[in-house]
Amino acid sequence: MAQKAGPKKNNNAAQASSEDAIRQAKARILSAHGAPLEILQWARDIENGSRKALGQAITLAESRLTEDRDKLEELLDLLQSSERRSNSWRMGITGVPGVGKSTFIESFGAAWIEKGHRVAVLAVDPSSERSGGSLLGDQTRMESLTRNPDAFIRPSPSARTLGGVTRATHESILLCEAAGFDRILVETVGVGQSETSVRQLTDAFILLMLPGAGDDLQGIKRGIMEMADLILVNKCDGPTTSQAQQAALQYRQAIHLLPAAEGGHLVDVQTMSALEQTGIAETCGAIEELMQLWEDNHWLEKQRSQQAVRQFNDHVRSLLFEQSQFSPEHQQTWERLQTEVQRQQISAFAAARKWLNSIASPT
Ligand SMILES: Nc1nc2c(ncn2[C@@H]2O[C@H](COP(=O)(O)OP(=O)(O)OP(=O)(O)O)[C@@H](O)[C@H]2O)c(=O)[nH]1
Ligand SMILES: [Mg+2]
């Protein structure tokens, strides 16, 4: 027994000293980065592809607690230099509810994986009452993608303002890229402002349309067509095949009336069936051509830098607002002014000005 205890003791001592060495090395790295060890380890775990670490980091992005936001900023700082970001393609997918966005993402995502890529699917859904339903829908419509080890699917954070959801989605994109996902698909849920926000977060914007054109462009505003880089008429199968082809013809004519796209490309209109998985390879091909063109004419880089400036401006505004609103003293002033506006005792503009003055010179 005693003989056996000797070497074990030595082993323990060796282990302890090597653990010490690791601790010291980590501490040295820590002081170089100035980030807590826990965050440093977290960043490495994300870069090493830990889905758990990625999921937890996205939860931070969705949180409104100051300490969570601080942690996330440190984490993003450490991941900032990730070279993986420049290899990623960010694609937005939009269209009226029921057009087939989730069904399309299931096939489109699988096609990228087959080409050797890793796919992350995110959703922007600022309306709390819809998110439960769409989450459920997505789980069934993206069944095989959900199970694929090269895919990561995250539903939209629920019950948040559009600004909050957009910021969380932007940060989630950065986190997914750091984790090695190089094809990012962002589905917009709900029609309205979310399209504009997703357009601002992505390189290419894909608009899905239903067969049967006309009718006020299916409730899709002209502005959304102007944002699209590629238009896909879905459900080109069964009895709706010829309707879909007809619609594609009409959209091809309609896009000539729109202003020229900033990326220097012609907006293509294709037909497909997300359900029967036809036209998916052509869609990938169209995206590859767009990306090649944008790399050659530097639009990809230019658009990302324009988006970054815009995000900086938006973040400054929302941070200023959040900070001011959440101090108890400012909260009181805010509520008082809000009541005065409600009672029409003061104009909205004058109240806003007063609010700003109260932040600038607190009493
Ligand atoms: N025939 C046919 N049906 C389709 C096709 N794509 C989707 N669908 C059906 O259309 C319905 C809606 O599909 P989803 O993929 O959930 O549509 P979505 O745009 O994601 O819907 P929301 O998330 O609610 O906005 C489902 O019943 C699908 O099976 C298609 O190419 N052909
Ligand atoms: Mg959907």
Side-chain angles (χ1 to χ4, degrees):
M1 282 293 280
Q3 271 178 335
K4 276 186 184 170
K8 196 173 178 193
K9 210 173 179 180
N10 284 345
N11 276 347
N12 283 347
Q15 197 180 341
S17 81
S18 84
E19 276 171 9
D20 265 359
I22 292 169
R23 241 193 306 278
Q24 280 167 15
K26 279 183 175 174
R28 274 200 304 278
I29 303 167
L30 166 71
S31 59
H33 275 287
L37 206 54
E38 170 211 1
I39 305 279
L40 210 59
Q41 186 57 51
W42 200 342
R44 294 296 85 85
D45 288 347
I46 291 174
E47 285 177 333
N48 289 333
S50 157
R51 304 170 82 85
K52 191 175 162 207
L54 174 62
Q56 285 169 337
I58 294 181
T59 304
L60 281 189
E62 291 165 355
S63 167
R64 269 176 286 188
L65 297 175
T66 314
E67 62 258 40
D68 286 348
R69 297 228 42 91
D70 290 348
K71 265 190 204 169
L72 178 73
E73 271 160 36
E74 279 180 305
L75 200 52
L76 284 172
D77 251 6
L78 290 170
L79 297 168
Q80 188 59 39
S81 60
S82 174
E83 278 174 26
R84 290 164 165 180
R85 191 145 300 142
S86 55
N87 299 327
S88 86
W89 293 357
R90 304 169 185 170
M91 295 169 262
I93 289 130
T94 194
V96 292
V99 67
K101 298 179 292 291
S102 302
T103 313
F104 167 66
I105 288 171
E106 164 95 347
S107 324
F108 191 52
W112 290 117
I113 292 171
E114 244 170 67
K115 285 170 179 276
H117 297 284
R118 298 183 72 220
V119 172
V121 181
L122 305 166
V124 168
D125 179 6
S127 57
S128 54
E129 73 274 17
R130 271 189 55 89
S131 58
S134 62
L135 166 62
L136 254 165
D138 286 348
Q139 271 170 348
T140 51
R141 253 143 240 158
M142 298 186 195
E143 207 178 336
S144 76
L145 211 53
T146 308
R147 281 185 274 109
N148 196 311
D150 287 319
F152 178 85
I153 300 178
R154 180 82 174 199
S156 173
S158 61
R160 295 266 316 247
T161 61
L162 179 61
V165 172
T166 309
R167 182 170 71 186
T169 307
H170 176 226
E171 288 159 345
S172 304
I173 291 176
L174 301 179
L175 291 166
C176 288
E177 287 172 345
F181 292 95
D182 61 345
R183 294 294 177 265
I184 314 288
L185 309 179
V186 187
E187 176 180 347
T188 68
V189 182
V191 193
Q193 280 297 301
S194 49
E195 283 90 355
T196 319
S197 321
V198 172
R199 183 71 203 86
Q200 287 303 321
L201 299 177
T202 50
D203 304 315
F205 201 54
I206 305 173
L207 172 62
L208 264 61
M209 296 294 245
L210 287 166
D215 301 351
D216 192 24
L217 295 177
Q218 302 177 15
I220 297 241
K221 291 185 208 93
R222 184 192 153 104
I224 292 165
M225 264 189 97
E226 282 179 25
M227 290 192 286
D229 296 306
L230 178 64
I231 296 176
L232 302 174
V233 183
N234 191 30
K235 309 199 182 183
C236 186
D237 51 43
T240 48
T241 307
S242 69
Q243 257 180 305
Q245 286 162 344
Q246 193 62 30
L249 273 177
Q250 293 188 18
Y251 290 130
R252 270 183 212 121
Q253 286 162 358
I255 50 174
H256 287 299
L257 306 172
L258 301 177
E262 277 189 284
H265 57 288
L266 283 175
V267 176
D268 200 3
V269 181
Q270 298 187 348
T271 54
M272 62 141 186
S273 166
L275 202 63
E276 295 185 354
Q277 306 189 4
T278 53
I280 304 295
E282 288 79 358
T283 304
C284 290
I287 292 289
E288 280 165 342
E289 270 179 37
L290 277 178
M291 291 296 179
Q292 187 60 57
L293 172 75
W294 292 341
E295 257 168 46
D296 294 345
N297 69 11
H298 306 290
W299 171 244
L300 200 60
E301 201 185 315
K302 191 176 166 198
Q303 183 174 233
R304 279 204 188 179
S305 80
Q306 283 177 355
Q307 290 174 348
V309 168
R310 200 186 160 117
Q311 275 144 15
F312 164 66
N313 288 328
D314 288 351
H315 285 340
V316 168
R317 279 195 203 97
S318 68
L319 279 177
L320 268 177
F321 186 77
E322 275 171 24
Q323 271 177 7
S324 331
Q325 197 188 5
F326 291 124
S327 100
E329 183 192 336
H330 291 142
Q331 183 86 40
Q332 266 182 3
T333 316
W334 174 271
E335 278 162 17
R336 180 174 53 76
L337 285 168
Q338 190 169 262
T339 312
E340 287 178 23
V341 170
Q342 203 174 20
R343 292 181 185 155
Q344 302 197 12
Q345 292 165 337
I346 186 172
S347 79
F349 181 78
R353 185 52 72 197
K354 265 193 173 181
W355 162 249
L356 209 67
N357 290 342
S358 82
I359 305 170
S361 50
T363 47

